[in-house]
Amino acid sequence: MGRKSRKSSAVRKTNRIVGKHTAHKVERRTRKGTYTIWRCQYVGRVHEPDVNGLWQYFEKRLYAQGETAAEAEKRVQERGDLYIEYDDWFWNRGSKPPKTFKDWMKIKVSHDREASKSEATDYANRLTVTLTIAHEMYKKNRVRYNPSGSSRELSDSHIRRIDNYVNHMGEIAEIPLSKLNFHEISTSFAQVQRELSRGTCARLRAYLITVGKYSILSEFWSKNLFEHLGTLSFQPVNREKRIYSLDEIDRLWFAARTDQQRALLILLRLGLRFGEATALTSEDIIDEVTIQIRYSQARKSVRLSDGLRLQPELAPPKTVSSMAKIHVPQRWMAYLEKSLEHARPAHVQAWDIAAEDPKHLFVVPNAAGLIWQEATALASMKRLLSRAGVTFHLDGSDGRESIWHSFRYTYASELVALGANDIDLRYLMRHTDANLTKDVYARVRMEDKSMYVKYAKKIKLPSDYNLALAEFDENR
């Protein structure tokens, strides 16, 4: 095409297709001799202004060459793609001023060079990411969801727990992931296993695998070596749980001196977790025989004038299944109402209330009438156990027993003694999986089982189990 055709307002087209032409051999002669190259033809769409300043496009026959046919055809494909990209930019540039193909190529080369430098920097930075850095980034990107479906940040207790997991890994947490090898990981993890319980090590391994998967998705790591660590059980070697004997339950009841202690014993006796029992408010008492579990006591960090302080908050219960209604025998509900009389309005933030300073009346308050936090409640319970003559292993050994959760073990065991089936067990324990209740919690009492027979005969509905327990306790 000559210059006349380029200035013409008419658009001249060709039937040639970009990248589909076959290279051919061409001989070139110079003063130094003859050499051979491979040449391949392609078509590019070019935009240029005419003499009146109006932009038009035309198709121009172009050539690419290389030392081999494959090299020439590859260059044709690359350059043809550039012309297609330029044509798309030209018609979709919006308010940007039009540019010729040469000017556009100068800007593109400059941008590609900067992008290449940035990509190289990012790649170099990714190679220096350690387990600690990946852990911090994972925390920022992870959210938890409330039962209503809304998202919330990780709780302070959860953050402290996973921070401790990474701290346990010692020096390898500061080694770039790209330089870690499995021998270093397994050696460090073996040391952790000698210091911590099996359940903690199992949770640590699960979290390391999670961070490893996040590192692969973020291109910090090419292979998750944490997955090769040996599988551990989340349950301790000795799966036999501490349950209260009937005599211990009676002694605890008679040793209780305050209304709050009696109310707490009743709620624990009904299988509530400690956080659920102390987070129960006056609004959660539905009627004379029913309570609704809506909250579980947690703690969050609040920045005050003198620094960070941990303050209580009302978080969602452990699971969605935990948010259930519980039948309370009427004779036991009277103790809860008596304990509620000691409550004063307490300012505690709840997860489902938008108010900045909500007020609650807690069913089991502390001596001041406010929310009963675990430290003071545990001290009160230890004194109660001492007066009742009930012994517990509360040291840091592997045989350590949980005062609060032992009541859930006791509750599950008595449900089994009363003849509860799998469906009733899951419903009353508020578990998602009935097998968890049977395998972990429930243990048939070794005391005289005939004591439960006459009460088991009265059970027709799931709510009757709690009535039977209350009647059983009172008759003793």
Side-chain angles (χ1 to χ4, degrees), residues 270-271 321 324-327 408 411-438 441-442 455-466 468-469:
L270 293 173
S321 301
K325 294 179 180 179
I326 297 178
H327 185 84
R408 276 180 67 80
Y411 181 61
S413 298
E414 293 196 301
L415 292 177
V416 173
L418 288 169
N421 56 34
D422 292 355
I423 298 176
D424 290 342
L425 276 175
R426 185 187 65 81
Y427 173 77
L428 294 167
M429 292 295 293
R430 293 172 292 124
H431 279 158
T432 304
D433 184 7
N435 291 324
L436 176 64
T437 307
K438 291 190 300 181
Y441 283 77
Y455 301 100
K457 293 179 179 179
K458 300 179 182 180
I459 296 174
K460 304 297 181 182
L461 300 172
S463 59
D464 294 337
Y465 286 97
N466 292 344
L469 284 180

Side-chain angles (χ1 to χ4, degrees), residues 6-130:
R6 289 200 297 271
K7 289 185 178 181
S8 173
S9 59
V11 177
R12 299 183 61 185
K13 297 185 178 181
T14 175
N15 59 0
R16 297 183 180 90
I17 303 174
V18 173
K20 295 297 183 181
H21 304 292
T22 304
H24 60 279
K25 188 184 297 185
V26 177
E27 288 189 355
R28 298 290 189 186
R29 293 181 181 180
T30 63
R31 293 179 181 179
K32 296 181 179 181
T34 303
Y35 67 94
T36 302
I37 61 170
W38 289 85
R39 200 178 185 205
C40 189
Q41 178 183 306
Y42 67 99
V43 175
R45 179 172 287 188
V46 182
H47 301 75
E48 288 185 359
D50 58 13
V51 292
N52 298 320
L54 298 176
W55 285 78
Q56 61 178 3
Y57 74 88
F58 60 93
E59 292 177 343
K60 183 177 181 181
R61 186 184 296 115
L62 301 167
Y63 295 91
Q65 61 186 31
E67 295 182 358
T68 63
E71 183 179 351
E73 292 175 358
K74 181 179 178 181
R75 289 182 178 176
V76 162
Q77 186 64 46
E78 291 174 351
R79 294 183 184 180
D81 291 343
L82 284 174
Y83 274 100
I84 293 173
E85 184 180 351
Y86 165 70
D87 188 61
D88 290 339
W89 171 86
F90 187 89
W91 297 114
N92 298 291
R93 68 184 187 279
S95 60
K96 296 179 181 179
K99 298 182 184 300
T100 62
F101 178 77
K102 290 183 179 180
D103 293 337
W104 176 81
M105 276 298 299
K106 290 178 182 178
I107 297 174
K108 177 176 174 59
V109 170
S110 176
H111 287 174
D112 289 348
R113 188 180 295 114
E114 293 297 326
S116 179
K117 290 181 181 179
S118 176
E119 185 177 351
T121 303
D122 291 342
Y123 179 72
N125 292 337
R126 288 198 295 269
L127 293 180
T128 62
V129 170
T130 63

